[in-house]
Amino acid sequence: MARGIKDRVAIVGMGCSRFGERWNDDAETLMVEAFDECIADAGIDVSRIDAAWLGVGFEAQNIGPSGIPLATALRLPDIGVTKVENYCATGTDSFRGAVYAVASGAADIALAMGVEKLKDTGYGGLPARSRGLNFDMYGVTGSAPGNFAQIAAPYRAKHGVSRDDLKRAMAHVSVKSHANGAKNPKAHLRKAIDIETVLNAPMIAEPLGLFDCCGVSDGAACAIVTTPEIARELGRADPVLVKSIQLVTSNGWELQHGGGWDGTYFHTTRKAAARAYAEAGVTDPREEIDLLEVHDCFSITELVTMEDLFISKEGQAWKDILDGFYDADGHTPCQIDGGLKCFGHPIGASGLRMIYENYLQLQGRAGERQRADGPKLALSHNLGGAPIQNVSAITIVGLEGA
């Protein structure tokens, strides 16, 4: 494996807008909202930023096909801005670009921004056109809930899980996230729910009910990264360090007849997780990872991802979930900020929003949501596309020595 980037880059500032139905705000306003918090957190002047990356999923309805809107909105100092789009991994890929620039020595200080005015697109999880020729050939016959719901039946059959047990575990995922989101002033949905409400909700795509699906929101999040040496010069005695970033893209294997994929897991996530742990030096993720932020577009996605990240054993995630292993007060909290379930999923922003929560938690700055036992190592995960063809991205951040 390549030498990797463990501990070669530090996060010195992060910011996150309020997520929700921001009808009266444009993408530039959301970027400024996130950046104002981020630059104040970093304690630097904007003139020190050497390069920037901008992640947006739906360019035509948001900001167009270049990085100019970011440079203009923030009055960046005549630097290069690279625009990134990589399905739901867009925000993480923006962060990856900034991190790699610092790790390589191409920049001393770099900015990563992710933003999406998803409400303005009219996109709500149903088939949509104008997303490229490839998508128009195969994507218009499916929907996001329909695609991801299809994981449930083969998972049940393979692991001998009853529909009621799986449905109750999925419901616990949503109840847990809503309880966490109720404590987060930046979340879109801030109301706790009970398990019966989830179980009795209208069906969207069997077995996914209404509360098994994340919402549609607008939002922005950003990060400023630099070298550990510069971070300490800026007064960060114990900076949050990047331990690993890994991204894996489907190559068609899942679609191949007789290829071996049985539809019960996300192949790219397993590959990305194994590489991320190797880069970060993690040998026992169930015990070493203190916090998880994963791509809970649907409750079944979060459940299966717990196994793909090698936290739960294969076929056992539903039991861990029901046992409270991933609750805010459990062994390894998952979505302690409310997750996509309560923030919604503005595509370009979600990856950075996840890193933002882990960054706050590692510094003991998460307020009412703060994990009391002092987390040292945290993981975030994005999954873009559909189970049969997707992009997975994993970022591990932590304190020195973790």
Side-chain angles (χ1 to χ4, degrees), residues 112-134:
M113 173 72 75
V115 65
E116 205 78 49
K117 281 285 293 171
L118 195 60
K119 298 298 294 186
D120 294 359
T121 68
Y123 184 70
L126 300 176
R129 291 189 63 82
S130 301
R131 295 179 65 188
L133 294 175
N134 187 41

Side-chain angles (χ1 to χ4, degrees), residues 317-389:
W318 67 276
K319 293 181 181 179
D320 281 341
I321 289 167
L322 290 174
D323 288 342
F325 185 91
Y326 298 108
D327 290 358
D329 59 355
H331 184 281
T332 306
C334 184
Q335 324 298 52
I336 202 167
D337 66 346
L340 270 67
K341 185 67 193 69
C342 291
F343 272 85
H345 181 28
I347 297 168
S350 289
L352 280 157
R353 188 269 304 162
M354 295 175 177
I355 298 169
Y356 172 80
E357 179 65 21
N358 286 339
Y359 171 77
L360 293 180
Q361 289 281 345
L362 291 168
Q363 296 179 96
R365 296 168 49 197
E368 189 179 359
R369 306 183 307 281
Q370 181 61 46
R371 177 75 171 184
D373 57 1
K376 300 292 191 295
L377 203 61
L379 179 149
S380 57
H381 157 268
N382 288 119
L383 177 73
I388 59 168
Q389 193 173 57

Side-chain angles (χ1 to χ4, degrees), residues 85-171:
E85 191 279 316
N86 207 353
Y87 273 170
C88 304
T90 295
T92 298
D93 216 351
S94 171
F95 183 73
R96 184 173 72 138
V99 167
Y100 280 7
V102 171
S104 69
D108 286 337
I109 298 178
L111 169 70
M113 173 72 75
V115 65
E116 205 78 49
K117 281 285 293 171
L118 195 60
K119 298 298 294 186
D120 294 359
T121 68
Y123 184 70
L126 300 176
R129 291 189 63 82
S130 301
R131 295 179 65 188
L133 294 175
N134 187 41
F135 183 89
D136 282 354
M137 286 190 290
Y138 74 88
V140 294
T141 59
S143 69
N147 291 337
F148 282 86
Q150 293 181 62
I151 305 169
Y155 181 91
R156 283 179 47 212
K158 180 178 181 179
H159 301 300
V161 184
S162 71
R163 182 189 183 278
D164 287 347
D165 283 341
L166 186 62
K167 185 69 175 169
R168 189 161 290 272
M170 291 162 50

Side-chain angles (χ1 to χ4, degrees), residues 43-385:
I44 63 171
D45 187 79
V46 67
S47 63
R48 295 197 63 180
I49 298 173
D50 299 318
W53 277 257
L54 170 62
V56 183
F58 287 86
E59 65 178 30
Q61 295 91 340
N62 283 276
I63 65 164
S66 81
I68 291 174
L70 178 66
T72 303
L74 306 185
R75 297 297 189 267
L76 295 177
D78 300 317
I79 60 173
V81 179
T82 302
K83 186 178 171 295
V84 177
E85 191 279 316
N86 207 353
Y87 273 170
C88 304
T90 295
T92 298
D93 216 351
S94 171
F95 183 73
R96 184 173 72 138
V99 167
Y100 280 7
V102 171
S104 69
D108 286 337
I109 298 178
L111 169 70
M113 173 72 75
V115 65
E116 205 78 49
K117 281 285 293 171
L118 195 60
K119 298 298 294 186
D120 294 359
T121 68
Y123 184 70
L126 300 176
R129 291 189 63 82
S130 301
R131 295 179 65 188
L133 294 175
N134 187 41
F135 183 89
D136 282 354
M137 286 190 290
Y138 74 88
V140 294
T141 59
S143 69
N147 291 337
F148 282 86
Q150 293 181 62
I151 305 169
Y155 181 91
R156 283 179 47 212
K158 180 178 181 179
H159 301 300
V161 184
S162 71
R163 182 189 183 278
D164 287 347
D165 283 341
L166 186 62
K167 185 69 175 169
R168 189 161 290 272
M170 291 162 50
H172 187 95
V173 166
S174 299
V175 170
K176 171 262 299 173
S177 292
H178 272 270
N180 296 341
K183 301 176 181 179
N184 197 328
K186 295 192 176 185
H188 183 171
L189 305 177
R190 299 193 60 207
K191 184 177 180 180
I193 56 176
D194 60 43
I195 197 163
E196 294 305 319
T197 297
V198 181
L199 292 174
N200 295 319
M203 189 64 65
I204 304 299
E206 169 66 32
L208 300 177
L210 178 65
F211 289 98
D212 291 306
C213 309
C214 82
V216 176
S217 302
D218 304 323
C222 62
I224 293 174
V225 296
T226 187
T227 66
E229 293 76 20
I230 294 175
R232 293 186 180 94
E233 291 173 7
L234 293 172
R236 305 300 196 280
D238 191 12
V240 174
L241 302 173
V242 179
K243 305 292 182 177
S244 176
I245 303 177
Q246 290 291 328
L247 189 145
V248 174
T249 306
S250 291
N251 63 6
W253 177 77
E254 298 98 325
L255 288 165
Q256 180 180 326
H257 177 70
W261 184 64
D262 60 10
T264 66
Y265 65 96
F266 299 102
H267 174 69
T268 57
T269 296
R270 292 189 178 185
K271 291 291 186 180
R275 293 171 188 171
Y277 294 143
E279 184 175 30
V282 172
T283 58
D284 185 359
R286 186 177 176 94
E287 296 302 323
E288 294 178 60
I289 300 296
D290 299 314
L291 290 172
L292 295 166
E293 288 283 327
V294 305
H295 203 85
D296 57 322
C297 50
F298 304 97
S299 55
I300 187 65
T301 315
E302 179 174 329
L303 186 152
V304 170
T305 298
M306 297 302 95
E307 299 176 13
D308 295 340
L309 294 176
F310 310 109
I311 308 294
S312 290
K313 293 182 179 179
E314 190 171 348
Q316 300 298 307
W318 67 276
K319 293 181 181 179
D320 281 341
I321 289 167
L322 290 174
D323 288 342
F325 185 91
Y326 298 108
D327 290 358
D329 59 355
H331 184 281
T332 306
C334 184
Q335 324 298 52
I336 202 167
D337 66 346
L340 270 67
K341 185 67 193 69
C342 291
F343 272 85
H345 181 28
I347 297 168
S350 289
L352 280 157
R353 188 269 304 162
M354 295 175 177
I355 298 169
Y356 172 80
E357 179 65 21
N358 286 339
Y359 171 77
L360 293 180
Q361 289 281 345
L362 291 168
Q363 296 179 96
R365 296 168 49 197
E368 189 179 359
R369 306 183 307 281
Q370 181 61 46
R371 177 75 171 184
D373 57 1
K376 300 292 191 295
L377 203 61
L379 179 149
S380 57
H381 157 268
N382 288 119
L383 177 73

